[in-house]
Amino acid sequence: MTTSTILFDLDGTLTDPFEGITRSIGYAVEKMGGQAPDVEELRWCIGPPLWDSFKVLLGSEDKAVLDQAVAFYRERYTVTGLFENSLIEGIPELLTTLRKDGFLLHVCTSKPHSYAGRIVEHFGLMDFFGKVYGAELDGTRSAKAELIAHILSEENIQASETVMVGDRKHDLVGANANAVAGIGVLWGYGSREELAAENPVLIADRPQDIAAYFATH
């Protein structure tokens, strides 16, 4: 079946959120009584659900502790960090091409949809997307496998006509779990090795590579 719908991750795929996320994580770690790591040491935190990152950073599995860390993170992120962010070069042109070619586009992010929508709106991308899908504030559907399954059900679309685009293995693992084809992108926070291990149909060096792929598939 030919592709009708393309799902896009947000952080590291459509925008570069490095400063906002890493500074907000550091703020939360300090509020929890720890020593904030250098921001460059937090690059791996961009992509996974926040609770997973704080499990490692705080060395705790205690949900109450992790919830408190996420609350501190949001204390800074919702005021300042949300817009410490930049649009990836070439993304508006890619989205324009895909919409002209008749594809339906949705955002699929582990970030809470309430925050994700504000970011998509801020960068003037809302008109490209049917809907911004993300996690709930309590972490429900922060795992990509669960979120993609939810989107397929909500939009009544077949896995075989859907493609997931993202920069981390979590995007591709979630796609594979739902029998959805995955495209990995190298301008974000995952390495070629990380992405290749999940058998994507394409690893894109530039946004133009995605447009070229869909022009021939």
Side-chain angles (χ1 to χ4, degrees), residues 113-136:
H113 54 79
S114 56
Y115 303 161
R118 289 171 63 192
I119 294 167
V120 172
E121 188 78 58
H122 175 73
F123 287 110
L125 302 179
M126 196 63 86
D127 287 348
F128 293 112
F129 295 103
K131 190 166 179 182
V132 175
Y133 283 97
E136 300 301 323

Side-chain angles (χ1 to χ4, degrees), residues 144 148 164-178 180-185 194-203:
K144 282 290 168 70
I148 292 171
M164 175 73 210
V165 179
D167 68 311
R168 297 299 309 274
K169 69 179 181 181
H170 309 82
D171 303 303
L172 304 181
V173 167
N176 289 335
N178 288 282
V180 165
I183 289 177
V185 305
E194 174 184 326
L195 299 172
E198 308 306 328
N199 300 308
V201 296
L202 172 71
I203 296 180

Side-chain angles (χ1 to χ4, degrees), residues 135-149:
E136 300 301 323
L137 287 170
D138 65 0
T140 302
R141 288 193 291 275
S142 61
K144 282 290 168 70
E146 188 182 1
L147 183 59
I148 292 171

Side-chain angles (χ1 to χ4, degrees), residues 11-12 15-19 21-23 25-26 37-48 53 57 88 167-170 186-191 194:
D11 291 340
T15 69
D16 182 352
F18 178 76
E19 184 180 357
I21 289 178
T22 57
R23 290 183 183 280
I25 288 175
D38 183 85
V39 292
E40 285 299 327
E41 294 174 18
L42 295 173
R43 298 183 79 85
W44 63 272
C45 296
I46 298 177
S53 297
L57 292 167
I88 301 292
D167 68 311
R168 297 299 309 274
K169 69 179 181 181
H170 309 82
L186 289 174
W187 55 83
Y189 291 87
S191 66
E194 174 184 326

Side-chain angles (χ1 to χ4, degrees), residues 17 19 28 35 46 82 104 114 141 147 158 162-163 166 201 206:
E19 184 180 357
Q35 176 71 37
I46 298 177
L82 200 65
L104 299 174
S114 56
R141 288 193 291 275
L147 183 59
Q158 299 297 312
T162 307
V163 175
V201 296
R206 306 169 304 161

